[in-house]
């Protein structure tokens, strides 16, 4: 998608601030379809947990995302992650912030003490040159006035690429892959990722945080794959 600097990615109208990426009017249209507030999967009601979560809830309290994994947002995420267009990160983080503030205003969210990003293994981080989740988490923490804990979680085992695996293999692939590096007892923590598919990665991290005494865990991401 080619855009003129300083214009909205979607409607091509001039922006008040060039780095915003999407104007406020178009940002309102980048909303997910009706979904469960806990797992993020399709549901009849967006304010009450779905039947799946009532029977077997995920190990986090809330999931906030910008839109389903579809154009135009999916293309922007792909450009950030695989084409190394890291200049997109701040604008994408702003879209996530808009949705977080909307959720906080309309349905309420748990408080936030610290934001962490899903870590890459050191070899993968070295090959890619950046962690896309960290690029989203840092400005979010600054805008919300909370801590960004860059080294709260480390990835101690290099795993196969998740998007090539089935849900069952994803869970097995991530077993014992993460280690907690900082105390979290009593803290309200947000995990930031770019895309949540089966939720296996953020579930492993959420369980680790809760096992060590975290008060609540939320997941914030740009896209939820349905």
């Amino acid at each position: 998608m080619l855009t003129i600097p300083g214009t909205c990615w979607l409607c091509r109208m001039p922006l008040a601030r060039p780095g915003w990426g999407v104007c406020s009017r178009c940002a309102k249209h980048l909303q997910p379809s009706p979904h469960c507030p806990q797992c993020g999967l399709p549901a009849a009601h967006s304010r009450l947990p779905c039947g799946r979560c009532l029977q077997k809830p995920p190990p986090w309290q809330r999931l906030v995302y910008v839109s389903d994994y579809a154009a135009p947002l999916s293309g922007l995420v792909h450009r950030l992650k695989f084409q190394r267009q890291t200049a997109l990160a701040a604008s994408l983080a702003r879209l996530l912030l808009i949705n977080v503030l909307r959720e906080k205003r309309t349905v309420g969210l748990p408080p936030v003490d610290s934001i962490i990003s899903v870590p890459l293994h050191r070899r993968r981080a070295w090959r890619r040159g950046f962690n896309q989740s960290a690029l989203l988490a840092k400005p979010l923490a600054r805008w919300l006035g909370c801590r960004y804990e860059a080294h709260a979680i480390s990835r101690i085992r290099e795993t196969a690429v998740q998007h090539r695996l089935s849900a069952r293999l994803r869970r097995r692939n991530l077993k014992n892959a993460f280690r907690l590096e900082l105390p979290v007892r009593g803290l309200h923590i947000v995990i930031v990722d770019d895309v949540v598919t089966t939720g296996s990665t953020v579930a492993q991290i959420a369980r680790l945080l809760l096992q060590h005494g975290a008060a609540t865990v939320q997941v914030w991401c740009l896209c939820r794959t349905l």
Side-chain angles (χ1 to χ4, degrees):
M1 183 193 309
L2 296 176
T3 58
I4 301 171
T7 60
C8 173
W9 289 332
L10 303 181
C11 68
R12 306 297 196 271
M13 293 297 291
L15 293 170
R17 295 183 62 180
W20 279 1
V22 175
C23 67
S24 297
R25 182 176 180 180
C26 287
K28 293 179 181 179
H29 298 291
L30 279 175
Q31 296 185 34
S33 54
H35 64 282
C36 170
Q38 190 164 6
C39 68
L41 293 175
H45 204 293
S46 293
R47 296 196 177 191
L48 299 174
C50 65
R52 294 176 295 261
C53 289
L54 291 175
Q55 292 183 353
K56 188 178 180 181
W60 61 76
Q61 281 66 51
R62 291 296 300 271
L63 189 148
V64 179
Y65 64 104
V66 177
S67 80
D68 309 332
Y69 191 72
L73 193 56
S74 58
L76 296 170
V77 172
H78 190 276
R79 287 166 56 184
L80 167 65
K81 190 171 181 177
F82 298 112
Q83 298 180 17
R84 303 191 177 194
Q85 296 187 22
T86 56
L88 295 171
S91 297
L92 292 172
R94 175 179 172 267
L95 288 178
L96 184 49
L97 175 68
I98 290 171
N99 280 266
V100 167
L101 295 178
R102 182 188 296 122
E103 291 282 305
K104 184 177 180 179
R105 183 176 62 253
T106 57
V107 298
L109 291 175
V112 179
D113 294 315
S114 299
I115 293 180
I116 68 174
S117 51
V118 172
L120 297 176
H121 188 270
R122 62 182 182 276
R123 279 194 286 268
R124 186 167 296 165
W126 177 81
R127 288 195 295 267
R128 183 171 292 172
F130 63 93
N131 178 351
Q132 70 280 357
S133 299
L135 295 181
L136 299 171
K138 289 177 184 178
L140 282 170
R142 184 174 70 253
W143 295 331
L144 292 170
C146 58
R147 296 190 299 273
Y148 169 59
E149 301 288 5
H151 306 293
I153 300 287
S154 61
R155 199 162 193 146
I156 58 176
R157 185 168 60 81
E158 190 168 20
T159 57
V161 178
Q162 284 286 93
H163 67 262
R164 299 174 183 171
L165 304 176
S166 65
R168 181 176 60 85
L169 290 177
R170 286 176 187 232
R171 291 191 293 270
R172 182 183 300 176
N173 185 46
L174 292 166
K175 187 176 181 180
N176 300 321
F178 302 104
R179 181 172 64 204
L180 184 63
E181 304 290 357
L182 297 173
V184 296
R185 183 166 299 277
L187 297 181
H188 301 276
I189 299 177
V190 170
I191 305 169
V192 171
D193 204 1
D194 56 340
V195 179
V196 170
T197 305
T198 64
S200 298
T201 301
V202 289
Q204 288 286 345
I205 296 174
R207 290 190 189 98
L208 184 61
L209 294 169
L210 292 170
Q211 287 167 5
H212 285 80
T216 62
V217 177
Q218 298 179 66
V219 176
W220 297 353
C221 60
L222 293 173
C223 298
R224 178 67 157 113
T225 300
L226 306 181

